[in-house]
Amino acid sequence: MSALEPRVSQTSTPVPPPPRGGILGSAYRTLSIGMISCIFLIAFEATAVGTAMPVAARELDGIGVYAFAFSAYFTTSLLGMVLSGQWCDRRGPLRALTVGIGAFAAGLVLAGTATAMWVFVLGRAVQGFGGGLVIVALYVVVSRAYEERLRPAIMAAFAASWVVPSIVGPLAAGTVTEHLGWRWVFLGIPVLVVVPLAVALPAIRRTASGPVDPDAPPVAFDRRRIRLAFGISLGAGLLQYAAQDLRWWSLLPGAVGAGLLVPAVLGLLPRGTYRARRGLPSVVLLRGVAAGSFIAAESFVPLMLVTQRGLSPTLAGFSLALGGLTWAGGSWIQSTGRVAPYRERLMVLGMVLVAFAIAAAPAVLVPWVPVWSLALTWGVGCLGMGLVIGSTSVLLLKLSAPEEAGANSAALQISDALANVVLLAAGGAAFAALGGGSVGAAAHSVAEGAGAAVSHPAAFVVVFLPMAAVALVGAWVATRLHERPAAKTG
């Protein structure tokens, strides 16, 4: 008998069939609503914080370390992901999810009550650690509580949970910041987190708590992987710091960061990931390539519209709103059963769409190109991301044994977050080297009505075109997601 086959009871009691119905059927309704609500609030926070962050940094006299408020979240989330994968595989996802939500809320409170920028950055770091715990735990819950036929649908629901926040989040955060103050953008969310947590935890305790095999002896935490997790977080932070400071002596922290990061990545990701070995390694690699190239490019879209075309920050943010809808649409398409046999081709198409959108975005730098065209272009890229991101999650769970779901889900999220950090650092360094610093300095005056006074189109092109090339590499990786069938002998 295979180790993955269900154990058959020695008594004559028949094994009950798995529950039927969809993710909102009676068997899954409470669990699905609770988890979707958690994702919704995390998405709302992610889209709202960007609006409040400039005001917070200015009030706390922290413009000089502004970028660290973002990178602190990503670097500590890497540590949280590894710990969560270990915790979930050994004790189940319940405790990791509970502690993660608690840390996420505590980080929001710490940031919202900060009176100094270093406390604010610390709050973002605590929040990132909690977010890393939560996202891996949710993937493990999906692996253990949902039938394989339902996993594409719940992943599509997770993606759809970002649609409303991506449209409403910036406007709501701007209104709250203007009338109540930036602190309430952070302090209001922890209260709301209690409701979905109370809804989801009983269902998780009933369907996915405890180890995969309760009769197996408990396995200790892998101390080597934990050390590697610290190494990957510290290394990513040092690389981010070095990329933001282009003076010669920043090469030292950059070299130390790379020395910590490379062995940690090789030890935490599946063997053969960076050789694009067929199967699970390529699934993990594709997730990083897709997320890193797209997010690194998207981070510069609002700045490009504000400083080069004179849009207000609010209008620049709304230019990306269509993307939330098309992303959800792509995720829904990949969730339908009819496309399952063509999933690999669909992911290749998705990466081609992403590469096209990133490469075409700088066309808006040409004065006669209408600004609204960028919204359509970026919507095409988000459609491609919806096809790819949901599919990588489905394939990862399909290729993972139950007792490996935590570690492999952590690897997928590490690839995602690490690619964001590294490619954002590379794009930021290239942007600064071609005059991006003066572009950023002019952003404040532009926002106050001075118009697009500073023109540095090359600083933006040097970000977008390399990221488009990275996305094209992802299209090739997407052809290697399944093992080649073994040759017949005899």
Side-chain angles (χ1 to χ4, degrees), residues 74-82 229 232-233 236 413-414 417-418 421:
F74 286 117
T75 53
T76 54
S77 69
L78 291 167
L79 175 61
M81 290 168 188
V82 176
I232 201 173
S233 297
Q413 298 302 325
I414 288 169
L418 182 62
V421 172

Side-chain angles (χ1 to χ4, degrees), residues 280-291:
L280 182 65
S282 284
V283 173
V284 172
L285 176 60
L286 179 61
R287 178 59 164 260
V289 168

Side-chain angles (χ1 to χ4, degrees), residues 200-490:
L201 288 185
I204 294 173
R205 184 179 294 110
R206 185 174 62 253
T207 59
S209 63
V212 175
D213 185 357
D215 299 327
V219 181
F221 277 86
D222 187 337
R223 294 182 180 179
R224 175 179 172 272
R225 289 184 67 84
I226 294 175
R227 288 196 299 270
L228 292 176
F230 277 106
I232 201 173
S233 297
L234 181 58
L238 289 172
L239 276 181
Q240 183 76 10
Y241 172 79
Q244 293 174 37
D245 190 338
L246 298 180
R247 288 175 291 185
W248 66 268
W249 62 266
S250 65
L251 293 175
L252 179 59
V256 173
L260 290 170
L261 195 63
V262 172
V265 168
L266 294 177
L268 290 172
L269 299 186
R271 188 182 299 274
T273 295
Y274 286 104
R275 299 195 309 273
R277 198 177 76 185
R278 287 187 172 275
L280 182 65
S282 284
V283 173
V284 172
L285 176 60
L286 179 61
R287 178 59 164 260
V289 168
S293 60
F294 188 80
I295 297 302
E298 187 178 58
S299 299
F300 287 87
V301 169
L303 183 64
M304 179 170 64
L305 293 175
V306 168
T307 61
Q308 307 301 293
R309 295 300 300 263
L311 268 66
S312 69
T314 300
L315 287 177
F318 274 118
S319 69
L320 303 178
L322 176 64
L325 295 172
T326 57
W327 189 311
S331 190
W332 175 81
I333 291 172
Q334 68 82 30
S335 74
T336 59
R338 286 177 293 182
V339 306
Y342 313 102
R343 188 174 297 279
E344 183 176 296
R345 296 179 186 176
L346 204 66
M347 296 170 79
V348 173
L349 172 63
M351 290 308 304
V352 171
L353 294 179
V354 171
F356 163 77
I358 297 174
V364 78
L365 293 167
V366 179
W368 54 263
V369 174
V371 173
W372 55 261
S373 66
L374 181 60
L376 299 180
T377 299
W378 213 248
V380 171
C382 287
L383 174 66
M385 287 294 287
L387 295 173
V388 173
I389 298 299
S391 291
T392 56
S393 303
V394 171
L395 285 178
L396 178 111
L397 296 178
K398 182 178 181 179
L399 296 172
S400 301
E403 66 275 10
E404 297 174 344
N408 289 343
S409 296
L412 189 75
Q413 298 302 325
I414 288 169
S415 179
D416 187 319
L418 182 62
N420 284 337
V421 172
V422 172
L423 292 179
L424 271 170
F431 181 73
L434 272 76
S438 58
V439 171
H444 180 68
S445 61
V446 171
E448 294 186 349
V454 178
S455 179
H456 283 284
F460 291 96
V461 172
V462 80
V463 172
F464 285 93
L465 293 188
M467 296 306 159
V470 173
L472 280 178
V473 172
W476 170 75
V477 175
T479 66
R480 303 178 59 79
L481 303 180
H482 295 288
E483 298 279 1
R484 290 190 184 277
K488 295 183 179 180
T489 58

Side-chain angles (χ1 to χ4, degrees), residues 19-44:
R20 307 303 295 172
I23 62 173
L24 294 180
S26 58
Y28 297 101
R29 185 180 301 121
T30 301
L31 178 62
S32 297
I33 291 175
M35 293 204 303
I36 291 170
S37 299
C38 285
I39 294 291
F40 179 88
L41 289 174
I42 291 173
F44 185 85

Side-chain angles (χ1 to χ4, degrees), residues 38-114:
C38 285
I39 294 291
F40 179 88
L41 289 174
I42 291 173
F44 185 85
E45 184 276 338
T47 56
V49 161
T51 302
M53 197 79 78
V55 181
R58 186 166 60 246
E59 183 175 314
L60 297 174
D61 194 24
I63 295 294
V65 292
Y66 177 77
F68 285 103
F70 291 96
S71 61
Y73 183 98
F74 286 117
T75 53
T76 54
S77 69
L78 291 167
L79 175 61
M81 290 168 188
V82 176
L83 293 179
S84 185
Q86 297 248 320
W87 204 348
C88 292
D89 284 343
R90 286 154 179 77
R91 296 289 184 268
L94 184 62
R95 292 181 182 177
L97 182 60
T98 305
V99 173
I101 289 289
F104 187 80
L108 285 167
V109 172
L110 187 59
T113 58

